[in-house]
Amino acid sequence: MLHHALGELLGSVADDARWSDALARYAASFRADLLGGAFLASGLDQLAQWGAEFAAHPEVDYWLQSPSSDGAPALLAMGVTPEAARRYATHFRLQDPLWDDAMAQRARLGAVGTWVATDAPVHATRGFRRTEIYSDFLREYGIGTRMFGGSQGASHPVGNLFMSVYRQGDDEGFAPEEVARFRAEFGGVQRAAFLHREMVALRARTQGLESLMEQMPMGLLFFDTAGRLLHANARTRLLSARPESAALRALLRGPLLASTADAALRALFQQSLLGRSGCVELPGTEGGLLLVTLPLSDLAALGVCLRAPGVAWVVLERSLCSEAAVALARQAYRLSPSEADLLLALMRGQTPQDFADARGSRISTVRTQMSALLAKTRTQRQQDLVALVARLMLLAPGQVAQGALPTGP
């Protein structure tokens, strides 16, 4: 049965405010005062190699700024003082019987497994109070007994968890059932720590993007390359609340590459990954909402510098955005009045034939206008036109210089 403290930990992986408190409560569920340390590292060699750096920078946030795919270790919690951590990292680890015990267990497990060691068995038969390390190091900092857990064999570069819980002062030590529970739950704790690390890394990659997206009057979504939604701005969330926006709500709930995702949206996402423009009509919105791809180079033009690739989409409302969009395009690309009228019709979902019928014009005349429109905007298809205009709306008005206009989707 899942202990409620572990369940709370798993439930807080995406919430920075709750994560630290959940870790502290998990330690408290073992009658422990604090976490002595929780680290994600590629293995014990990396943990030992970076020990002095962990001691020099015990602030968790310091270690959670770079993407985990870089292979850098991560400090998830530290309950001891920087001075204590530094002393342990540089000297006392070499004399710690608990570390030796843990390493012996690790050797017995082979390449894959989880181990838990404690320096205070239930009857305290090892005389932990009298060992040199306690009188010279731990007791000085109010530390009584510890449990140390570790795992190995994870494929991710920072997928192995190393973590200790300790009690302040002297006591009877951890009971056998507490040691057994820590061992049984350690895989779940590792999973929570890894997911938390990933969420923080994803946010670091998109630093500044969320605040920018919230300033935009149109809907914006940003996904990582695995199709996971990183952020949907307020306008998108408002649009998804409409009764007819079931497709948009589904898009906000699940990964785009899931087998249950809409096939057209999956295709658009794959197209977006290749840096190609595109747009699709959202099902059920009766021509009201378009999803338009936005190249990340345009985000850079807006002042957002991303550390990792992703996919940005615009949710375009034809009824509200079309006239403003066409006005920008007319000025930027010096469109004639008839070309601007045609572009407005296309933005509203009409076909060239619809436009010709509405104006009483020959289709050949409209096709000539369409060719001129494509030539001036350096696009090749109607959907490229729509995507280009959506990009232009983000970069203007007032921000698109005549010499720095987008030249194609």
Side-chain angles (χ1 to χ4, degrees), residues 1-4 6 185:
M1 181 178 178
L2 183 69
H3 193 279
H4 67 87
L6 179 57
E185 293 180 349

Side-chain angles (χ1 to χ4, degrees), residues 367-387:
R367 286 173 178 162
T368 299
Q369 294 170 340
M370 184 72 176
S371 297
L373 183 58
L374 293 174
K376 286 183 178 181
T377 57
R378 300 183 189 179
T379 55
Q380 296 181 347
R381 298 169 300 170
Q382 181 174 332
Q383 72 168 22
D384 295 340
L385 265 175
V386 175

